[in-house]
Amino acid sequence: MKLSAYTLFFFFLFSSSFYIRENKHEDFSPRLSRQRSAKIPIPSINPNDPFLLTLASVAAKSPEKLLNRPVNSNTPPYLDIFDSPQLMSSPAQVERSVAYNEHMPRTHPPDLPSMLLDGRIVYIGMPLVPAVTELVVAELMYLQWLDPKEPIYIYINSTGTTRDDGETVGMESEGFAIYDSLMQLKNEVHTVCVGAAIGHACLLLSAGTKGKRFMMPHSKAMIQQPRMPSSGLMPASDVLIRAKEVITNRDILVELLSKHTGNSVETVANVMRRPYYMDAPKAKEFGVIDMILWRGQEKIIADVVPSDEFDKNAGIRSAERV
């Protein structure tokens, strides 16, 4: 008949409790006999107690560890069957082993441009300097290789090849490089202006697929003539060469804007004589975009009196009329 682990454990437990190690004589006093013969209530035992489970497991696997108990042992009863306690780690080891946030991913998250790239989004959020051009062109080529049929979304918030104060930070070729890459794509290109699209950035905004060019209601678009970098101590002949190159770039920019906005070359050249700012409704009217991205915003703006008419009704004459 096979006994269970708990049966063996309680057998050894109660048999060892009546075993007297040092004083083996019997006390036959009537009072002690009555106390021993009395029935002692046994408290309820938790079957999930880890200490009892360990003892029961030892009793089932190695009964000799419980039977052959040492007579004069300094170890508390039954505690020698457990693993020896480990010394506490040093404070430095404890600090290195603590996980302060167990729910965070163990691997480093990808950078934001890579996460946007998974959604086929290319974000241009800086002036068009060589590092930005390199990244944007590489992302466009990768997305076309990944799937030449799915659309590509370009979000633009850039001052083009200049800074806000008008200082040149990049060559005009940076803007033309991204533009030529767009023209080579087989995918539909959805362009969205989310802040400002100035200069070459405005050209990129207008170069999206017709009907897929968008603008946030409070964004700004602006077209202006290319600027020549500081000549410094450059000889006069070199300054003239650079000036001719800037004029050539200006003519190319005018032709491309005329092509994508649907305006004549003369119209674009005329408004580009000075910086020409456009809010969302004016950019749509000029042909830079096709739609304003705000629910109900187009209707609200359409009900507002145009700025020229408002100035006329208010008796204000614009600087151009003066």
Side-chain angles (χ1 to χ4, degrees), residues 172-173 176 200 226 244-254:
E172 303 297 325
S173 58
F176 289 136
H200 274 269
K244 291 181 179 179
E245 180 64 20
V246 171
I247 293 174
T248 302
N249 291 334
R250 180 200 63 186
D251 296 339
I252 295 175
L253 185 59
V254 168

Side-chain angles (χ1 to χ4, degrees), residues 56-261:
S57 176
V58 172
K61 295 180 180 179
S62 303
E64 62 276 3
K65 290 186 178 181
L66 299 178
L67 288 174
N68 303 326
R69 306 298 303 166
V71 178
N72 296 320
S73 176
N74 295 326
T75 306
Y78 302 110
L79 291 182
D80 56 337
I81 65 176
F82 292 92
D83 295 333
S84 300
Q86 301 292 331
L87 293 177
M88 182 179 294
S89 303
S90 64
Q93 293 175 342
V94 173
E95 184 177 356
R96 286 194 297 268
S97 64
V98 171
Y100 292 98
N101 197 336
E102 299 178 356
H103 303 287
M104 292 295 290
R106 298 299 179 185
T107 58
H108 294 289
D111 56 296
L112 287 179
S114 300
M115 297 179 68
L116 293 176
L117 200 62
D118 290 338
R120 303 186 65 81
I121 296 174
V122 177
Y123 178 56
I124 305 176
M126 295 178 64
L128 301 181
V129 296
V132 175
T133 303
E134 176 187 7
L135 177 63
V136 171
V137 172
E139 289 179 339
L140 293 176
M141 295 172 61
Y142 171 75
L143 291 176
Q144 179 183 234
W145 171 82
L146 197 64
D147 193 339
K149 296 181 180 179
E150 287 293 322
I152 297 174
Y153 306 91
I154 301 180
Y155 287 74
I156 301 173
N157 182 21
S158 174
T159 57
T161 56
T162 61
R163 294 193 314 189
D164 295 337
D165 56 2
E167 182 180 352
T168 301
V169 294
M171 299 291 293
E172 303 297 325
S173 58
E174 306 298 335
F176 289 136
I178 300 178
Y179 173 82
D180 290 338
S181 300
L182 289 178
M183 295 299 101
Q184 298 298 322
L185 294 177
K186 301 176 182 178
N187 311 71
E188 277 191 354
V189 178
H190 299 198
T191 55
V192 183
C193 178
V194 294
I198 298 175
H200 274 269
C202 185
L203 171 64
L204 299 179
L205 176 63
S206 65
T209 304
K210 286 294 181 74
K212 306 296 182 180
R213 302 172 302 175
F214 308 99
M215 196 171 182
M216 295 296 180
H218 299 110
S219 300
K220 294 290 184 180
M222 190 263 278
I223 54 178
Q224 63 182 353
Q225 296 188 37
R227 299 175 181 268
M228 186 177 67
S230 177
S231 58
L233 301 177
M234 190 177 299
S237 57
D238 293 353
V239 173
L240 180 60
I241 293 174
R242 286 203 171 189
K244 291 181 179 179
E245 180 64 20
V246 171
I247 293 174
T248 302
N249 291 334
R250 180 200 63 186
D251 296 339
I252 295 175
L253 185 59
V254 168
E255 292 179 0
L256 295 178
L257 285 171
S258 173
K259 170 185 174 183
H260 292 289
T261 61

